[in-house]
Amino acid sequence: MSKRIETGNTACALAVLAAGIDYMAAYPITPQTTLSEKIANFAATGEFTGKYVLVESEHSAMSAVAAASAVGARTFTATSSQGLLHMHEILHYASGGRLPVVMANINRAVLAPWCLYADHQDSISQRDTGWLQLFCSNHQEIYDSVFLAYKVAEKVDIPVMISYDGFLLSHSLLPFETVDDSVIKQYLPDRDPAWRLHPDIGGNFSNVAMAAEYSAYRHRLADDTLKSLQIFRDSIKEYENLTGRKQPDLIEASGTENANVYLLSMGSMASEMELVATELTKQGINASALKLRLYRPFPSDELVNILPDGSTLIVLDRNIAYGHPGGVLYMEARSALYESDKKIRVLGGSVGLGGVDLTVSVLLNEVNRLLEVAKA
Amino acid sequence: MSEKMKENILESSVNPMVGLPHAEISKHKEHDGTEVAALSSKLAEMPEYEMVHKGTGACAGCPSPMGLRIVGKVLGPNSVVVMTPSCTVASTGMMPKSCFKIPVLNCAFASAAATATGITGAYDALIEKGAISGPKPTVFTWIGDGGTYDIGFQGLSAAAERNDDFIFFCYNNEAYGNTGMQRSGATPRHAITTTTPGGKTENKKNLPILMLEHQCAYVATASVSYPQDLFRKVAKAKDIKGFRYIEVHSPCGPGWKIPWSETIDMGKRAVKTGAWALWEAENGNLTINAPTLQIAQGKVKPASLEEYIELQGRFNLVTRSPDKDKIIADMKDGIEKDLKRLLMRL
Ligand SMILES: Cc1ncc(C[n+]2csc(CCOP(=O)(O)OP(=O)(O)O)c2C)c(N)n1
Ligand code: SF4
Ligand SMILES: [Mg+2]
């Protein structure tokens, strides 16, 4: 175990290398580029011994890693923004095909107009592709999430996307602790696929299905996606036991215990929200920040359990759920709480779009505005 | 193979690994006297191995299983194939059935080449690591002209540039068959399709030449009507490492509006009129094959283009046009120019 200070993209690249991937394909796009360049460097120096293919588009990158995954390889790709949107068709293919690809998406705003900075519209637009989605709020989470992603993906045969904010995390220098390769090997042994594309084995992968088979596959994917929640929880515990390092929960609460105001968000904003909660508490409002680590499947039970009856939940999103007030987390939170007997006031807003700087004071203003709305 | 995987193997799809005898070089005479160098001169001498089960859902006389049977005789059971939505996939048989004895990976329409890139690269990585034991399966695609000329061209071009180790087969029936016969970049000018009811107004792309210009390991044109030539070309491709492209001209009854019994005859006419050229190139070095070379050099008179056009219902607007003679003269002119340009590449 050693402490390092690197960019978020380098933290991710180091973890991908340690995860022992067999196959990688990627295409440059800001702010992802320095990540795939870093792995290209590992390939050039011989540190990465698998296959690295420089494809001509993200559509091809996802097609290639999905196919390599069907052969049984542990695969990786990374992208941002338009690249992720360009992959959309093949995201469905990878999940429908139960191919445990892992991808990093470095969050960036989407066209039109062009904008290079942090925004979650790219990832959340892939919500219903059947991918499991992790969000990170600092470099340690980026590094650790890579191993967690492979662990869960290969257990449930569902692909996992790890998202973190462009520039704010991808290009900033922050400290994090690495884990020894021997520990990673123990946590993440070589992939042992249940099936692979090979003449010894046969099969016709993804052939035309009739409605009955098709709907059975879809329902199975939906069920397994929900079941993966417990596998995430168990896999986090296993990682904690092996590394001896505490991991954030699927929803990590910080700040005042028994607060009556809760601030839910994901990505780098969630780190800032811890400071906002402290500030609010200083002002006499007992507040706690809730950092969402797993967006898909949504950890509804965790949210319901954390929130005390009668509390207020403020949800801030770096995205917009068009046609619904606020962003997607606001929708998710309201949906999760609907079945609960607890009476909880939920308010939401979309902030930080296109990388608008989310300082503590900006966030505090928005939270106070929503608290005023709650009072009214 | 892990225990877990063994449990997952379907009885019906297990393939015994059978080695294939190497075909011998011989000369083959076409019935009109043209001589074609062929590795196996008679269909009967080709390996018995059948890659396609009997009774596919394809139309009677369909060129796709015909071509695949020849390809299968060369590549044998240690191979895997990538398919995109097409007539071939639509006629495979519904899940969990499959008319192919080798594993098939169906992928998205634009993804043929990148998918094969992923497969071949993963085999390399996993064989080197010892996770899979060799010999490496032959990776190939069997893709329609739509998945090759149009939506799949970007990925195809990139895989050729990278010299990825697989064979890209395009079976070219000159339209989108699966979706009901719309025009493609391979549809010839004047042909009626469901989206060009007044006849296509543009010329087809010369995709094989575009592939030739990629200077990749091996590029060849072939035809289902010349199975020995196809067999020889596949055999040549099989022994080459890197990116290989083979386009198989594939007359199609419903698309060309010809009787289902005429697939082979129409393919021969395409070659003998010069409308389809047979050639091959290793690392960009071109060889024009006998029937095409003889026409291009003026040693053999091309077969009647009028007949070729009149026999195909898709050219009915030409056949019935008052300007028929002029249109056919223009077509002939186009063919001659194409062949001249091909000769200049020698
Ligand atoms: C992205 C996408 N666009 C359109 C389609 C619809 N589609 C399926 S097959 C096909 C045409 C196939 O034509 P070709 O590749 O020439 O094969 P053929 O059917 O002629 O054998 C089309 C347009 C699709 N499946 N995916
Ligand atoms: S339409 Fe043509 S290519 Fe399609 S199955 Fe029928 S004969 Fe074959
Ligand atoms: Mg076609």
Side-chain angles (χ1 to χ4, degrees):
Chain A
M1 225 173 260
S2 69
K3 225 177 173 92
R4 295 184 67 143
I5 298 179
E6 305 281 0
T7 65
N9 278 348
T10 298
C12 185
L14 287 168
V16 168
L17 186 69
I21 60 163
D22 304 302
Y23 190 95
M24 153 127 190
Y27 189 76
I29 181 166
T30 304
Q32 174 278 123
T33 308
T34 55
L35 164 55
S36 51
E37 283 173 347
K38 189 79 196 170
I39 299 176
N41 264 324
F42 290 148
T45 57
E47 285 163 279
F48 172 52
T49 53
K51 187 98 182 163
Y52 187 164
V53 183
L54 305 170
V55 286
E56 86 299 343
S57 75
E58 292 86 354
H59 193 280
S60 287
M62 188 46 67
S63 299
V65 294
S69 186
V71 173
R74 180 171 289 161
T75 62
F76 181 74
T77 185
T79 191
S80 292
S81 178
Q82 302 309 117
L84 185 65
L85 304 189
H86 194 39
M87 283 178 182
H88 180 78
E89 179 187 27
I90 316 302
L91 297 187
H92 280 282
Y93 178 76
S95 59
R98 306 300 294 260
L99 302 168
V101 172
V102 169
M103 161 164 68
N105 176 58
I106 324 307
N107 290 117
R108 170 184 150 181
V110 296
L111 189 65
W114 285 117
C115 180
L116 298 173
Y117 309 108
D119 187 301
H120 296 167
Q121 205 69 31
D122 52 0
S123 322
I124 66 106
S125 297
Q126 315 309 322
R127 185 190 65 182
D128 299 332
T129 54
W131 279 58
L132 311 178
Q133 290 199 35
L134 286 160
F135 274 80
C136 309
S137 70
N138 57 45
H139 291 22
Q140 190 67 59
E141 282 173 30
I142 295 172
Y143 182 82
D144 294 334
S145 293
V146 170
F147 308 118
L148 177 65
Y150 282 109
K151 182 82 179 177
V152 177
E154 292 174 12
K155 270 208 166 134
V156 295
D157 286 323
I158 302 177
V160 180
M161 192 188 309
I162 303 164
S163 291
Y164 54 92
D165 288 333
F167 295 110
L168 297 170
L169 294 181
S170 65
H171 286 60
S172 63
L173 289 161
L174 280 174
F176 61 97
E177 260 180 25
T178 61
V179 177
D180 291 343
D181 281 355
S182 57
V183 177
I184 297 301
K185 265 250 157 307
Q186 219 179 321
Y187 184 66
L188 211 58
D190 277 351
R191 188 178 158 206
D192 180 21
W195 171 87
R196 69 165 101 235
L197 182 79
H198 195 278
D200 284 356
I201 293 155
N204 192 320
F205 182 86
S206 180
N207 190 13
V208 184
M210 293 301 280
E213 282 88 14
Y214 182 85
S215 78
Y217 280 121
R218 292 289 133 174
H219 283 298
R220 204 187 304 165
L221 176 58
D223 292 347
D224 290 350
T225 301
L226 288 175
K227 279 187 205 147
S228 75
L229 264 170
Q230 193 51 44
I231 296 172
F232 270 109
R233 293 183 191 115
D234 296 345
S235 302
I236 289 172
K237 276 275 157 308
E238 188 184 335
Y239 189 74
E240 279 182 345
N241 292 341
L242 275 174
T243 60
R245 201 171 54 220
K246 171 90 181 75
Q247 290 289 297
D249 289 332
L250 299 183
I251 297 180
E252 177 77 2
S254 64
T256 323
E257 270 180 45
N258 304 322
N260 42 31
V261 170
Y262 288 80
L263 312 173
L264 177 68
S265 65
M266 60 188 181
S268 64
M269 190 199 328
S271 293
E272 221 62 22
M273 287 286 243
E274 292 175 18
L275 303 176
V276 176
T278 312
E279 201 55 41
L280 276 179
T281 307
K282 267 193 219 154
Q283 291 174 13
I285 302 167
N286 277 349
S288 166
L290 303 182
K291 171 167 74 186
L292 184 79
R293 195 172 176 202
L294 184 68
Y295 168 57
R296 268 280 162 292
F298 190 79
S300 301
D301 290 349
E302 271 83 349
L303 186 66
V304 173
N305 289 340
I306 290 171
L307 296 174
D309 198 11
S311 59
T312 301
L313 177 66
I314 306 279
V315 188
L316 291 190
D317 273 282
R318 205 168 204 140
N319 61 71
I320 297 181
Y322 291 105
H324 183 279
V328 295
L329 268 194
Y330 178 50
M331 278 174 81
E332 299 284 358
R334 297 218 303 181
S335 161
L337 293 167
Y338 184 76
E339 294 289 334
S340 160
D341 292 335
K342 292 177 180 170
K343 198 105 198 85
I344 290 153
R345 188 76 204 272
V346 192
L347 294 117
S350 292
V351 292
L353 304 179
V356 165
D357 205 6
L358 292 178
T359 59
V360 174
S361 66
V362 168
L363 289 168
L364 204 53
N365 275 347
E366 180 64 8
V367 169
N368 277 324
R369 184 185 71 78
L370 290 168
L371 286 175
E372 285 304 313
V373 176
K375 265 191 229 154
Chain B
M1 201 188 312
S2 71
E3 283 306 309
K4 189 160 125 201
M5 211 181 284
K6 272 185 198 151
E7 285 165 23
N8 280 285
I9 296 175
L10 298 170
E11 270 306 311
S12 59
S13 51
V14 177
N15 286 309
M17 305 267 283
V18 202
L20 278 177
H22 253 273
E24 281 166 23
I25 297 191
S26 62
K27 291 271 182 189
H28 165 63
K29 260 203 166 106
E30 278 280 273
H31 59 72
D32 60 0
T34 51
E35 206 169 45
V36 184
L39 286 180
S40 173
S41 61
K42 292 192 188 113
L43 284 174
E45 284 171 13
M46 288 184 189
E48 273 177 26
Y49 176 72
E50 293 288 353
M51 184 172 275
V52 188
H53 285 290
K54 286 176 186 160
T56 82
C59 306
C62 178
S64 168
M66 261 181 224
L68 263 177
R69 283 182 64 193
I70 305 297
V71 168
K73 285 178 188 297
V74 184
L75 301 184
N78 191 29
S79 42
V80 299
V81 59
V82 173
M83 292 186 183
T84 52
S86 58
C87 278
T88 307
V89 170
S91 58
T92 295
M94 295 286 179
M95 183 183 279
K97 292 180 200 143
S98 174
C99 67
F100 304 111
K101 291 186 192 164
I102 55 162
V104 181
L105 192 83
N106 281 282
C107 68
F109 201 15
S111 295
T115 300
T117 292
I119 296 169
T120 190
Y123 280 139
D124 287 340
L126 295 179
I127 288 171
E128 191 175 326
K129 188 177 161 184
I132 301 182
S133 48
K136 181 182 175 184
T138 303
V139 180
F140 72 101
T141 74
W142 189 255
I143 310 294
D145 45 301
T148 307
Y149 280 60
D150 299 338
I151 199 166
F153 184 57
Q154 172 182 314
L156 167 62
S157 173
E161 185 218 339
R162 289 189 304 262
N163 197 29
D164 289 339
D165 185 32
F166 67 90
I167 312 176
F168 192 108
F169 285 99
C170 165
Y171 69 97
N172 176 6
N173 62 359
E174 301 189 339
Y176 299 164
N178 182 35
T179 38
M181 228 50 81
Q182 298 79 28
R183 61 90 83 187
S184 81
T187 305
R189 192 154 175 220
H190 301 296
I192 299 168
T193 66
T194 55
T195 46
T196 57
K200 192 185 173 199
T201 48
E202 303 82 23
N203 290 322
K204 65 177 182 180
K205 300 182 196 177
N206 199 333
L207 195 82
I209 293 291
L210 286 175
M211 294 318 295
L212 174 68
E213 289 293 354
H214 284 70
Q215 316 255 325
C216 35
Y218 186 67
V219 178
T221 59
S223 164
V224 285
S225 304
Y226 292 79
Q228 296 91 339
D229 179 63
L230 173 60
F231 183 93
R232 181 183 61 80
K233 285 170 175 167
V234 182
K236 193 177 240 181
K238 191 188 179 199
D239 289 339
I240 296 173
K241 208 176 147 52
F243 183 85
R244 294 142 284 168
Y245 177 83
I246 299 180
E247 183 166 332
V248 187
H249 199 229
S250 301
C252 148
W256 296 25
K257 305 281 182 287
I258 55 174
W260 291 348
S261 54
E262 301 308 300
T263 306
I264 297 302
D265 179 63
M266 210 52 68
K268 290 206 163 172
R269 285 175 190 270
V271 170
K272 287 176 183 172
T273 54
W276 183 252
L278 291 179
W279 51 263
E280 65 201 290
E282 278 176 79
N283 298 312
N285 298 315
L286 178 70
T287 306
I288 304 176
N289 301 128
T292 301
L293 185 65
Q294 285 157 345
I295 297 168
Q297 290 176 332
K299 288 183 184 160
V300 168
K301 203 167 142 308
S304 163
L305 190 67
E306 286 84 347
E307 266 180 43
Y308 180 65
I309 297 298
E310 282 167 6
L311 285 169
Q312 298 178 43
R314 64 175 173 162
F315 290 120
N316 270 354
L317 291 174
V318 175
T319 307
R320 293 174 193 156
S321 166
D323 297 329
K324 175 182 161 190
D325 292 347
K326 170 151 187 355
I327 297 171
I328 291 181
D330 280 354
M331 284 174 152
K332 266 190 198 155
D333 192 46
I335 289 171
E336 273 167 28
K337 281 190 179 134
D338 274 353
L339 289 176
K340 270 207 188 98
R341 273 197 291 267
L342 190 62
L343 272 181
M344 279 158 62
R345 289 177 178 274
L346 282 179

